Amino acid sequence: MALPQPLRPSLSLAELELIASNEFIYIRPSISMEETHFINGYIQALVPPKQAKVPLWFALNLKSKRKCRILPPDWLNIGIGHRHSSLAQPNNSSALEYLEKKVAEETQEQNFSKLPFRYAETSKILLDAAPDDLEDPDRIRTLLKQLREARQAKSREGLKSLDHLELSLQNLSSSEINEIRPVFVRSMSILAGLTKEKPREDQFE
């Protein structure tokens, strides 16, 4: 949903990806490392070939040095039965089955289907930085594109029914909220102003 520059006071895609890089994900390290503490948390000790749960930014750093294999969340992992991350879905469907199901839901149902809050940013990061850790990344990209387009169409329809009281669009993701925020804030401001200026009927009685 491309917007003109004056209507883009929200975060950029790079900023959204930076925020998403703090999500935790599982890796299979090829190096050993002691537990490391930071101001806002710590990274557990790495003991190959044991899986480790680390921030996505750290996983990408190791991946760029070929020192780990990223274990993607279930909704991006064709292998069945993996429980790799907090983003994992509570079922045994493969990634393609899960995404195909979500595309069908988006095109057949009026409401937004429930997805991981930062699914768009996380999937883009992993597809760009670790496609070799995903099975059939091209097909996953296609399904994610179809999912995005279907959800964008719903967002546009939701904005058409905007009133000065609320906009009820449940299960929006981080990137989708970021996209409609400029239009929503400006429209709500205009609608609120028009409502305030509308003369009361009893003024003319």
Side-chain angles (χ1 to χ4, degrees):
M1 189 184 297
L3 295 172
Q5 192 62 39
L7 293 179
R8 297 182 189 174
S10 49
L11 299 175
S12 67
L13 178 59
E15 290 169 327
L16 288 173
E17 290 182 4
L18 179 63
I19 295 172
S21 68
N22 288 307
E23 297 282 331
F24 278 78
I25 198 165
Y26 279 86
I27 64 170
R28 195 180 301 279
S30 58
I31 61 168
S32 298
M33 188 185 79
E34 296 182 354
E35 184 174 285
T36 306
H37 289 261
F38 298 94
I39 294 176
N40 63 341
Y42 71 95
I43 294 175
Q44 69 178 86
L46 303 182
V47 183
K50 185 179 178 180
Q51 296 180 16
K53 187 178 181 181
V54 300
L56 181 53
W57 63 264
F58 184 73
L60 295 174
N61 181 274
L62 290 182
K63 178 68 178 178
S64 67
K65 299 174 182 177
R66 299 182 179 181
K67 294 182 178 180
C68 81
R69 175 174 174 266
I70 295 178
L71 306 178
D74 284 0
W75 51 274
L76 279 180
N77 188 353
I78 294 178
I80 295 177
H82 298 286
R83 298 274 79 83
H84 291 318
S85 97
S86 58
L87 299 174
Q89 302 304 314
N91 57 55
N92 289 327
S93 297
S94 70
L96 297 187
E97 290 172 345
Y98 176 79
L99 292 176
E100 287 170 350
K101 178 182 176 182
K102 290 300 179 181
V103 170
E105 288 179 5
E106 294 296 349
T107 55
Q108 297 172 10
E109 299 179 11
Q110 184 176 1
N111 297 327
F112 287 88
S113 61
K114 190 173 183 180
L115 288 165
F117 185 60
R118 301 195 185 279
Y119 86 93
E121 304 97 301
T122 303
S123 60
K124 184 179 185 304
I125 291 172
L126 292 178
L127 284 165
D128 288 347
D132 55 319
D133 289 336
L134 301 170
E135 294 185 48
D136 204 349
D138 291 337
R139 178 59 177 158
I140 291 176
R141 285 191 181 94
T142 299
L143 290 171
L144 286 169
K145 182 175 182 292
Q146 293 174 355
L147 189 63
R148 173 179 168 82
E149 291 173 348
R151 291 172 70 89
Q152 282 183 335
K154 287 184 180 180
S155 295
R156 287 191 289 268
E157 289 299 316
L159 289 173
K160 289 180 182 179
S161 60
L162 180 69
D163 61 37
H164 68 286
L165 297 176
E166 66 174 349
L167 173 61
S168 180
L169 293 175
Q170 297 181 341
N171 294 329
L172 287 177
S173 68
S174 170
S175 61
E176 291 159 350
I177 292 173
N178 191 65
E179 285 181 337
I180 69 171
R181 181 187 291 119
V183 176
F184 174 72
V185 172
R186 185 167 180 176
S187 299
M188 286 292 285
S189 177
I190 294 173
L191 285 172
L194 292 173
T195 303
K196 184 184 297 184
E197 295 172 4
K198 185 178 179 180
R200 296 179 308 182
E201 294 181 1
D202 58 5
Q203 286 183 306
F204 302 98
E205 295 179 354

